[in-house]
Amino acid sequence: VLANHNAPPAVTYSAVIYALRCLVQEDIPLNQGCLAPITFVIPKGSLLNPTPDAAVVGGNVLTSQRIVDVVLQAFKACAASQGCMNNLTFGIDGRFGYYETIAGGAGAGPTWHGVSGVHTHCTNTRITDPEILERRYPIVLRRFGLRPNSGGDGEFRGGDGVIRELEPLTKMTMSILSERRVLQPYGMAGGGTRPGGRE
């Protein structure tokens, strides 16, 4: 695909095994044996099996999350999550660089509300404490909290996303790699979609 959302097959395998382990009601080992009964059909040159020269930076942090949502939706397990890791970077060439992932909301399930302000699914990062962020970098954290009523409506509400406002104190490059800006996270079993993210 002519974008950076391509994901090598290993990302698909990881996302599928993660989703299946979420669905199983007992502890199972995390190994290749879990995938033995599954047949993957991933056409070469596709989003999930790109050519060697394809850009893949967004595959592990965006596409993996969407694969998880698709598997969980297929089993009617829960509504969509924030759908990505909301990767934020900023820095000044030759001086410093900073990277963080910003939390969002988890989808609701058949008997539970989604959780607000969390990293969902295939993430393993924590955000830097505000005091450390402002001490180490020329930036001020103006606002960081839950985005009220951003979880989808329904008998069981989706988790609310977050608002994170940063003010650079000097000229720098700042970029975000994220999803769910145009196509909102979907609800399930009559639950409403959630508002898309904003930059």
Side-chain angles (χ1 to χ4, degrees):
V1 176
L2 294 176
N4 64 4
H5 291 66
N6 297 288
V11 171
T12 299
Y13 304 148
S14 296
V16 169
I17 196 170
Y18 164 82
L20 294 178
R21 289 182 80 216
C22 288
L23 294 169
V24 175
Q25 297 296 314
E26 58 187 68
D27 287 337
I28 58 173
L30 177 59
N31 61 39
Q32 190 66 25
C34 295
L35 295 177
I38 300 169
T39 301
F40 288 86
V41 179
I42 309 173
K44 290 186 178 185
S46 68
L47 176 73
L48 303 181
N49 191 2
T51 59
D53 60 341
V56 296
V57 70
N60 195 42
V61 295
L62 299 179
T63 307
S64 63
Q65 299 283 349
R66 301 305 278 275
I67 294 168
V68 171
D69 276 345
V70 167
V71 173
L72 295 177
Q73 182 184 35
F75 286 95
K76 296 181 175 38
C78 63
S81 70
Q82 67 190 34
C84 70
M85 295 184 202
N86 296 304
N87 301 266
L88 174 74
T89 60
F90 62 79
I92 299 173
D93 284 346
R95 287 187 47 206
F96 71 88
Y98 176 80
Y99 170 84
E100 70 180 24
T101 59
I102 304 170
T111 60
W112 71 87
H113 296 289
V115 180
S116 298
V118 295
H119 283 89
T120 56
H121 304 315
C122 306
T123 57
N124 63 355
T125 60
R126 292 182 58 195
I127 205 158
T128 303
D129 294 331
E131 298 82 6
I132 294 173
L133 177 71
E134 292 179 343
R135 185 180 317 138
R136 292 186 180 168
Y137 303 101
I139 202 149
V140 174
L141 179 59
R142 291 287 178 203
R143 185 175 177 195
F144 184 40
L146 294 179
R147 183 177 168 200
N149 302 312
S150 60
D153 289 330
E155 180 179 356
F156 297 101
R157 288 187 51 80
D160 287 337
V162 300
I163 295 172
R164 188 157 173 90
E165 292 180 6
L166 300 165
E167 179 184 343
L169 299 178
T170 188
K171 185 176 179 179
M172 64 177 68
T173 301
M174 187 175 280
S175 302
I176 189 162
L177 177 61
S178 64
E179 281 272 338
R180 305 284 197 194
R181 300 293 192 249
V182 176
L183 301 174
Q184 296 87 1
Y186 51 82
M188 183 172 279
T193 59
R194 296 186 283 182
R198 298 188 310 242
E199 295 176 13

